[in-house]
Amino acid sequence: QMCEKFTVCENSMEMLVRNNLNLPKVTEEDGSVSDFLTFLSFQDKCLRKISSGLYTFTTYLEYIKETFTSEKQNIESLCYSTEHLARTVREMVINPEEVTIPDSATRKSLRTKLKSNKTWIEKITTHLILRDFTSFMEKTVRAVRYLKNTRSFSV
């Protein structure tokens, strides 16, 4: 939808240059689902990483809500759902206080850094955030599905 509405496409050189957002990711070191045997020993670490990542993405999604106003209602719903999922996953962690939750000053600082006086940069930033959020959620779904199938785990 972003590509059609704003002609923001994957092959854009500006996107590659701008991609310095440091968005959350689930990686091999976190017990990624690409190696299930390794993942088994990192379940709690993976859940912490997922919950922390979701909390971080809520800040990025708040930025999108401010800039992508034509989809404000959908983004509000996404923000709410993401925060709810972050809380739910956090409750599954052995020590929930180990989950990193950005404080209000950090969130405000990040939103300020993301703002740009150029509409094109805002569109690229929005696209990158949504693309990485989609990837993060795909890995999260696989991880939770795997956890559900490998131990008595209620989701």
Side-chain angles (χ1 to χ4, degrees):
Q1 195 176 26
M2 284 287 296
C3 194
E4 291 171 16
K5 247 184 188 178
F6 302 116
T7 56
V8 175
C9 298
E10 289 292 329
N11 298 330
S12 169
M13 285 302 278
E14 290 87 351
M15 284 180 63
L16 298 175
V17 171
R18 178 68 181 154
N19 194 1
N20 60 356
L21 296 174
N22 195 25
L23 295 162
K25 295 181 181 4
V26 177
T27 62
E28 287 288 332
E29 308 82 72
D30 305 314
S32 173
V33 295
S34 61
D35 181 357
F36 288 133
L37 295 176
T38 302
F39 177 71
L40 200 54
S41 63
F42 291 108
Q43 291 177 2
D44 196 61
K45 181 180 179 185
C46 186
L47 288 173
R48 279 194 316 271
K49 179 76 172 195
I50 288 169
S51 184
S52 295
L54 290 168
Y55 277 115
T56 300
F57 266 114
T58 59
T59 303
Y60 287 99
L61 294 173
E62 288 168 7
Y63 162 79
I64 291 174
K65 186 171 62 175
E66 294 169 7
T67 58
F68 196 23
T69 54
S70 64
E71 295 294 326
K72 188 173 184 171
Q73 188 173 5
N74 289 333
I75 300 299
E76 282 178 355
S77 176
L78 187 59
C79 287
Y80 173 80
S81 299
T82 301
E83 190 153 353
H84 178 73
L85 182 59
R87 280 192 310 269
T88 302
V89 173
R90 183 174 183 252
E91 291 170 6
M92 295 176 192
V93 174
I94 294 169
N95 294 313
E97 59 279 352
E98 292 179 359
V99 171
T100 305
I101 303 172
D103 60 23
S104 61
T106 303
R107 293 166 71 105
K108 184 177 181 182
S109 172
L110 178 58
R111 281 196 311 272
T112 301
K113 285 180 190 174
L114 290 171
K115 288 191 188 280
S116 173
N117 58 355
K118 296 181 180 176
T119 306
W120 175 248
I121 298 296
E122 286 184 347
K123 291 174 185 174
I124 295 296
T125 302
T126 297
H127 178 79
L128 291 171
I129 292 168
L130 291 174
R131 183 195 65 190
D132 283 13
F133 180 71
T134 300
S135 174
F136 187 89
M137 289 306 299
E138 287 169 353
K139 291 176 182 167
T140 295
V141 167
R142 286 198 315 249
V144 170
R145 190 175 292 144
Y146 181 74
L147 281 173
K148 187 176 179 183
N149 290 331
T150 58
R151 67 179 199 185
S152 49
F153 184 81
S154 62
V155 179

